[in-house]
Amino acid sequence: RVNIASDVGGPLSSDDVSWSFTTRIPRVTSIDPANDASVTSGPRRVSFTFSSPVDEAHINARNFTLTRSGRPIPLDDAEFLYDAETFTASLPLFDFLSGSEYEVVASARLGGPNFDGTDTQISFRTEIPSVLSTVPASGDEGVSTSAANLSIEFSDRIARQDGGGVA
């Protein structure tokens, strides 16, 4: 609400001027990937689209978190993107490992001081690659011990990590 006293209009002004208005409160309208999605592994950005503009100064690691199996993943503030035309905030590009669970949280602070909601939280998983073929093929007999090459073809990228899940 805005009120302007009558004396601002000059000595002959006798009426105060007042009016009220509201600003749009940004709310999350879509997220990519969607909650509970199963996605392919590899480099990608997680994106949040809002119903109205978000203060670009708030598009940073203080207001977005990413975890893999409960472990925080550091996000570089300089790598966040914001599209002011579509109201879409994108997290830094991250190489998602196959067969993993991820959680992303957007802080309620992004909605501004009048936002009455809570943090927006989603989880998704990356697909586990399947074996398409092997050399030698399963069940092959009489394979020479001098054949030094073994190969496996997977349906998607496989995670580079140790047995404990550390990349």
Side-chain angles (χ1 to χ4, degrees), residues 66-77:
L66 173 63
T67 61
R68 179 171 59 96
S69 301
R71 294 184 202 127
I73 296 170
L75 300 173
D76 182 354
D77 286 347

Side-chain angles (χ1 to χ4, degrees), residues 91-128:
L91 277 64
L93 187 66
F94 182 75
D95 192 8
F96 290 96
L97 297 176
S98 59
S100 298
E101 293 279 338
Y102 291 92
E103 182 178 273
V104 185
V105 177
S107 171
R109 289 186 296 265
L110 292 162
N114 294 324
F115 182 67
D116 60 357
T118 59
D119 292 348
T120 300
Q121 179 176 325
I122 65 145
S123 60
F124 62 93
R125 69 202 132 299
T126 50
E127 297 169 350
I128 299 171

Side-chain angles (χ1 to χ4, degrees), residues 2 65 70 74 111 119 132:
V2 177
T65 58
D119 292 348
L132 298 177

Side-chain angles (χ1 to χ4, degrees), residues 16-118:
D16 290 347
V17 176
S18 66
W19 73 97
S20 62
F21 57 92
T22 59
T23 58
R24 295 187 296 180
I25 298 173
R27 299 182 187 282
V28 174
T29 58
S30 68
I31 305 167
D32 181 34
N35 191 37
D36 292 327
S38 181
V39 300
T40 58
S41 60
R44 73 177 303 145
R45 291 180 181 271
V46 175
S47 298
F48 287 77
T49 301
F50 294 85
S51 60
S52 58
V54 175
D55 184 346
E56 288 187 54
H58 293 136
I59 307 298
N60 56 45
R62 182 170 179 258
N63 292 308
F64 291 93
T65 58
L66 173 63
T67 61
R68 179 171 59 96
S69 301
R71 294 184 202 127
I73 296 170
L75 300 173
D76 182 354
D77 286 347
E79 297 296 320
F80 279 84
L81 300 177
Y82 181 68
D83 184 331
E85 289 184 25
T86 63
F87 315 132
T88 301
S90 298
L91 277 64
L93 187 66
F94 182 75
D95 192 8
F96 290 96
L97 297 176
S98 59
S100 298
E101 293 279 338
Y102 291 92
E103 182 178 273
V104 185
V105 177
S107 171
R109 289 186 296 265
L110 292 162
N114 294 324
F115 182 67
D116 60 357
T118 59

